[in-house]
Amino acid sequence: MKGAIGKIYGEASPFEFNFVIFNQKQVKRGDYIKVWNDVDGWVVAYVESIVAKSNVRDKEIREIANGSKEVFIGKAVVLGKREDGRLKVPRSPFVPGESVFLAEDKLIAEVLGLSVDGVYVGLLGDTGVKVKLDPNSLVQKHVCILAKTGSGKSYTAGVIIEELLEKNVPLLIIDPHGEYHSMRYPNESVDGDFGVKPKGYEDQIRILAPPISPFAERADELLILDGVNLSAEELIELTGLKNPTAQALLYQALKELKDEDYTIRDIMDEVESIKHNGKWTLLGALAKVEESGLFGEKPTDLRKLLQRGKATIIDLRGVEPTYQDLIVSRVCTKLFELRKKGEVEPGMIVIEEAHNFIPERGFDKAVSTGILRTIASEGRKFGLGLMVISQRPARVDKNVISQCNTQIILRVTNPNDINAIKNGVEGITAEMVEEIKRLPPGHAMIVSPELERPVIVRVRSRRSKHGEAVSVTKPKEDKKKKKQKKSKKVEAKKEKKGFLRRLFG
Ligand SMILES: Nc1ncnc2c1ncn2[C@@H]1O[C@H](COP(=O)(O)OP(=O)(O)OP(=O)(O)O)[C@@H](O)[C@H]1O
Ligand SMILES: [Mg+2]
């Protein structure tokens, strides 16, 4: 054990105490310390704040400080000691005059309740303690990553994705910026402090993109949906159809079809049979949806989206927001149904830019909100978890944020976003809020009922390459896959041409 770094003085309770710091270079705010307690043995505390004082009159402090003009005083909040797997606060107060030591890494990990073999997110504060979180709780009880733009959300999400891939957890990543492709390649600038080695996840990552994506070429496969039973709301959102007559005709056609499974083609046939001149606007709008190629007779088997040890990325870069929303809604709805029937592996859906898909009421509307809310509240029963990522916490449905068991918060400064965090994250104190506003780059506060107290973590280096949405090029393309992709595109085009000929002659 290294030497004492300070001594308790004045009034001390079992919950907190103040101590005089011998050398201010040895202790920092946020450090974990330990003190001997005659009844309970070694007890761990946390340095909540440090103040400097000059011209101290208190005799006791002056004696401990050994005549020094400037005295540094630490305020410690007691965490306790682990006994029979539980954290216990000491039964008797600390004794003034007792020496204060820096706590060893093992003791800190034990007291905080850090998992031994969990998801390695980073190092605790300035210590060498690895912060590992329980993967089951993380996946099944949802996690959110919140922070202002550019503060490391996607980087941190990538860290967790790497860890979950290592543990064979199936992942589906909704990637509106096409920035997760790079996980295929190793990170060439790994920081040695974290004990991780560069690694690319080439074999574990599969990229899908809808045919309407300008980047569809770089995907491994096209994402085709079945387009069965699209609702009037979904179609109105997709077509941007504002004309009230056309909307009424759409409702009329869907009413006729409501008892059977119908495709866009069926709706169009139904609309065609209506004797009303307003139908042409509607038919034109529906033709555009069909033309997108997103819906087809040979849809992607969505069961393949969640596979053990694999991450499927749905690359939505450059795809219109209304289509993005519909894709997320349809894919998540289907996966949730499949999961309930046990036809797909338990896993996690990662939602980047979550404010677009689960907006807070009054800010925006999205068709995907309903299903994502359902997964947030019921997903844990069926083994389907969410990772919700957003730079605008105030704009994400606060019910969903509060359903997340683990909250990873990087720097946030916007007062509305701070308020959203205060309201959505249980047990957050005024001190923690101040801490969040000042978090340095790459540092996150992790709040979880699994941890005895929120911890500040220096997020570890990524094993795989981060980001660079624009410059990512696909590695060598499998010739067979290329051919399949081409023939799918040709098929989609043929279908579209056939239909337009039928419609417009
Ligand atoms: N823990 C970290 N270690 C090293 N670099 C990091 C870390 N976290 C973030 N960065 C760097 O900071 C930059 C921004 O990170 P990132 O892209 O994750 O931000 P973001 O919060 O997702 O931003 P946006 O809101 O634009 O999506 C990146 O260039 C990334 O390399
Ligand atoms: Mg990002």
Side-chain angles (χ1 to χ4, degrees), residues 121 145-157 159 177 179-180 187 189 191 194 352-353 389-391 410 441-443 457-462 466-468:
V121 186
I145 304 182
L146 306 171
K148 67 190 282 181
T149 182
S151 47
K153 295 179 298 294
S154 306
Y155 192 98
T156 308
V159 166
H177 299 303
E179 60 186 328
Y180 286 86
N187 175 11
S189 47
D191 179 340
F194 298 101
E352 267 277 2
E353 307 286 347
I389 306 166
S390 176
Q391 72 259 28
L410 295 107
H443 285 62
V457 174
R458 193 152 64 98
V459 177
R460 73 157 170 80
S461 275
R462 285 267 296 266
H466 168 64
E468 288 184 35

Side-chain angles (χ1 to χ4, degrees), residues 7-48:
K7 211 168 237 188
I8 297 181
Y9 77 90
E11 203 177 283
S13 79
F15 311 109
E16 56 185 23
F17 57 82
N18 288 335
F19 65 104
V20 176
I21 295 168
F22 295 154
N23 176 354
Q24 87 267 25
K25 286 187 188 141
Q26 286 180 329
V27 198
K28 288 180 297 310
R29 195 168 61 85
D31 277 348
Y32 291 85
I33 52 179
K34 66 172 189 180
V35 181
W36 182 258
N37 179 302
D38 279 340
V39 181
D40 295 278
W42 288 112
V43 174
V44 174
Y46 172 79
V47 182
E48 192 178 65

Side-chain angles (χ1 to χ4, degrees), residues 141-365:
K141 299 186 186 166
H142 318 303
V143 53
C144 65
I145 304 182
L146 306 171
K148 67 190 282 181
T149 182
S151 47
K153 295 179 298 294
S154 306
Y155 192 98
T156 308
V159 166
I160 298 176
I161 292 168
E162 287 173 0
E163 292 286 318
L164 295 178
L165 276 176
E166 298 287 339
K167 296 187 185 311
N168 285 324
V169 176
L171 294 158
L172 172 68
I173 304 169
I174 306 294
D175 183 8
H177 299 303
E179 60 186 328
Y180 286 86
H181 292 233
S182 58
M183 293 194 76
R184 284 186 152 154
Y185 315 109
N187 175 11
E188 270 134 34
S189 47
V190 171
D191 179 340
D193 282 5
F194 298 101
V196 290
K197 293 212 174 81
K199 176 173 175 181
Y201 290 85
E202 169 128 32
D203 297 334
Q204 287 94 326
I205 288 195
R206 188 164 149 259
I207 300 159
L208 269 74
I212 33 173
S213 157
F215 300 94
E217 279 302 315
R218 70 179 188 188
D220 298 313
E221 248 178 75
L222 290 176
L223 174 73
I224 310 283
L225 302 179
D226 68 10
V228 171
N229 298 350
L230 281 163
S231 68
E233 291 71 25
E234 286 174 323
L235 285 164
I236 289 170
E237 180 174 322
L238 280 184
T239 53
L241 202 65
K242 298 241 162 32
N243 181 322
T245 313
Q247 286 192 5
L249 291 173
L250 176 63
Y251 279 104
Q252 186 185 331
L254 291 182
K255 210 169 151 197
E256 292 298 323
L257 292 168
K258 76 173 185 330
D259 294 331
E260 47 190 297
D261 278 353
Y262 57 83
T263 61
I264 298 198
R265 182 68 59 85
D266 298 328
I267 306 173
M268 296 175 91
D269 289 344
E270 193 59 46
V271 174
E272 251 188 295
S273 70
I274 300 176
K275 289 190 176 54
H276 191 297
N277 274 345
K279 71 181 178 187
W280 301 110
T281 314
L282 175 57
L283 280 171
L286 292 173
K288 272 199 187 147
V289 175
E290 190 174 55
E291 208 171 284
S292 72
L294 177 61
F295 305 103
E297 277 165 20
K298 288 181 198 144
T300 308
D301 180 359
L302 298 184
R303 271 174 293 220
K304 287 196 195 145
L305 299 192
L306 284 178
Q307 287 184 53
R308 282 189 75 70
K310 300 239 188 280
T312 306
I313 296 172
I314 298 189
D315 182 356
L316 296 176
R317 184 172 164 78
V319 173
E320 271 180 53
T322 49
Y323 277 85
Q324 291 197 12
D325 184 16
L326 186 95
I327 290 168
V328 171
S329 161
R330 291 236 129 193
V331 166
C332 292
T333 304
K334 190 79 189 171
L335 281 182
F336 190 46
E337 279 168 18
L338 289 169
R339 186 56 223 133
K340 282 207 268 192
K341 290 189 271 179
E343 288 180 23
V344 71
E345 295 272 349
M348 182 173 232
I349 305 177
V350 179
I351 314 264
E352 267 277 2
E353 307 286 347
H355 47 277
N356 292 334
F357 303 106
I358 342 164
E360 174 66 338
R361 283 189 184 91
F363 277 105
D364 209 346
K365 262 173 101 176

